[in-house]
mmCIF file with all atom_site columns, all heavy atoms in Angstrom:
data_model
loop_
_atom_site.group_PDB
_atom_site.id
_atom_site.type_symbol
_atom_site.label_atom_id
_atom_site.label_alt_id
_atom_site.label_comp_id
_atom_site.label_asym_id
_atom_site.label_entity_id
_atom_site.label_seq_id
_atom_site.pdbx_PDB_ins_code
_atom_site.Cartn_x
_atom_site.Cartn_y
_atom_site.Cartn_z
_atom_site.occupancy
_atom_site.B_iso_or_equiv
_atom_site.pdbx_formal_charge
_atom_site.auth_seq_id
_atom_site.auth_comp_id
_atom_site.auth_asym_id
_atom_site.auth_atom_id
_atom_site.pdbx_PDB_model_num
ATOM 1  N N   . PHE A 1 95  ? 70.846 30.949 117.501 1.00 96.00 ? 95  PHE A N   1
ATOM 2  C CA  . PHE A 1 95  ? 71.027 32.322 117.956 1.00 96.00 ? 95  PHE A CA  1
ATOM 3  C C   . PHE A 1 95  ? 69.898 32.669 118.794 1.00 96.00 ? 95  PHE A C   1
ATOM 4  O O   . PHE A 1 95  ? 68.834 32.240 118.505 1.00 96.00 ? 95  PHE A O   1
ATOM 5  C CB  . PHE A 1 95  ? 71.147 33.141 116.770 1.00 96.00 ? 95  PHE A CB  1
ATOM 6  C CG  . PHE A 1 95  ? 72.166 32.932 115.766 1.00 96.00 ? 95  PHE A CG  1
ATOM 7  C CD1 . PHE A 1 95  ? 72.088 31.931 114.782 1.00 96.00 ? 95  PHE A CD1 1
ATOM 8  C CD2 . PHE A 1 95  ? 73.399 33.732 115.727 1.00 96.00 ? 95  PHE A CD2 1
ATOM 9  C CE1 . PHE A 1 95  ? 73.007 31.729 113.843 1.00 96.00 ? 95  PHE A CE1 1
ATOM 10 C CE2 . PHE A 1 95  ? 74.462 33.454 114.864 1.00 96.00 ? 95  PHE A CE2 1
ATOM 11 C CZ  . PHE A 1 95  ? 74.261 32.453 113.997 1.00 96.00 ? 95  PHE A CZ  1
ATOM 12 N N   . ALA A 1 96  ? 70.133 33.564 119.782 1.00 95.00 ? 96  ALA A N   1
ATOM 13 C CA  . ALA A 1 96  ? 69.033 34.182 120.484 1.00 95.00 ? 96  ALA A CA  1
ATOM 14 C C   . ALA A 1 96  ? 69.306 35.740 120.036 1.00 95.00 ? 96  ALA A C   1
ATOM 15 O O   . ALA A 1 96  ? 70.300 36.394 120.441 1.00 95.00 ? 96  ALA A O   1
ATOM 16 C CB  . ALA A 1 96  ? 69.072 34.138 121.981 1.00 95.00 ? 96  ALA A CB  1
ATOM 17 N N   . GLU A 1 97  ? 68.291 36.197 119.282 1.00 94.00 ? 97  GLU A N   1
ATOM 18 C CA  . GLU A 1 97  ? 68.574 37.407 118.530 1.00 94.00 ? 97  GLU A CA  1
ATOM 19 C C   . GLU A 1 97  ? 69.023 38.629 119.382 1.00 94.00 ? 97  GLU A C   1
ATOM 20 O O   . GLU A 1 97  ? 69.664 39.515 118.941 1.00 94.00 ? 97  GLU A O   1
ATOM 21 C CB  . GLU A 1 97  ? 67.447 37.810 117.585 1.00 94.00 ? 97  GLU A CB  1
ATOM 22 C CG  . GLU A 1 97  ? 67.363 36.701 116.429 1.00 94.00 ? 97  GLU A CG  1
ATOM 23 C CD  . GLU A 1 97  ? 66.526 37.287 115.177 1.00 94.00 ? 97  GLU A CD  1
ATOM 24 O OE1 . GLU A 1 97  ? 65.677 38.153 115.473 1.00 94.00 ? 97  GLU A OE1 1
ATOM 25 O OE2 . GLU A 1 97  ? 66.734 36.742 114.141 1.00 94.00 ? 97  GLU A OE2 1
ATOM 26 N N   . LYS A 1 98  ? 68.368 38.762 120.595 1.00 93.00 ? 98  LYS A N   1
ATOM 27 C CA  . LYS A 1 98  ? 68.629 39.943 121.298 1.00 93.00 ? 98  LYS A CA  1
ATOM 28 C C   . LYS A 1 98  ? 69.623 39.832 122.471 1.00 93.00 ? 98  LYS A C   1
ATOM 29 O O   . LYS A 1 98  ? 69.705 40.696 123.314 1.00 93.00 ? 98  LYS A O   1
ATOM 30 C CB  . LYS A 1 98  ? 67.245 40.515 121.798 1.00 93.00 ? 98  LYS A CB  1
ATOM 31 C CG  . LYS A 1 98  ? 66.496 41.246 120.686 1.00 93.00 ? 98  LYS A CG  1
ATOM 32 C CD  . LYS A 1 98  ? 65.378 42.052 121.126 1.00 93.00 ? 98  LYS A CD  1
ATOM 33 C CE  . LYS A 1 98  ? 64.554 42.546 120.115 1.00 93.00 ? 98  LYS A CE  1
ATOM 34 N NZ  . LYS A 1 98  ? 63.255 42.963 120.427 1.00 93.00 ? 98  LYS A NZ  1
ATOM 35 N N   . ASN A 1 99  ? 70.159 38.647 122.594 1.00 93.00 ? 99  ASN A N   1
ATOM 36 C CA  . ASN A 1 99  ? 71.215 38.451 123.561 1.00 93.00 ? 99  ASN A CA  1
ATOM 37 C C   . ASN A 1 99  ? 72.423 39.318 123.327 1.00 93.00 ? 99  ASN A C   1
ATOM 38 O O   . ASN A 1 99  ? 72.750 39.741 122.148 1.00 93.00 ? 99  ASN A O   1
ATOM 39 C CB  . ASN A 1 99  ? 71.743 36.938 123.591 1.00 93.00 ? 99  ASN A CB  1
ATOM 40 C CG  . ASN A 1 99  ? 70.812 36.111 124.525 1.00 93.00 ? 99  ASN A CG  1
ATOM 41 O OD1 . ASN A 1 99  ? 69.697 36.606 124.830 1.00 93.00 ? 99  ASN A OD1 1
ATOM 42 N ND2 . ASN A 1 99  ? 71.306 34.953 124.817 1.00 93.00 ? 99  ASN A ND2 1
ATOM 43 N N   . ALA A 1 100 ? 73.271 39.651 124.295 1.00 92.00 ? 100 ALA A N   1
ATOM 44 C CA  . ALA A 1 100 ? 74.598 40.509 124.072 1.00 92.00 ? 100 ALA A CA  1
ATOM 45 C C   . ALA A 1 100 ? 75.394 39.862 123.087 1.00 92.00 ? 100 ALA A C   1
ATOM 46 O O   . ALA A 1 100 ? 75.902 40.553 122.342 1.00 92.00 ? 100 ALA A O   1
ATOM 47 C CB  . ALA A 1 100 ? 75.094 40.674 125.492 1.00 92.00 ? 100 ALA A CB  1
#
Side-chain angles (χ1 to χ4, degrees):
Chain A
F95 300 82
E97 290 196 337
K98 286 190 183 160
N99 275 17

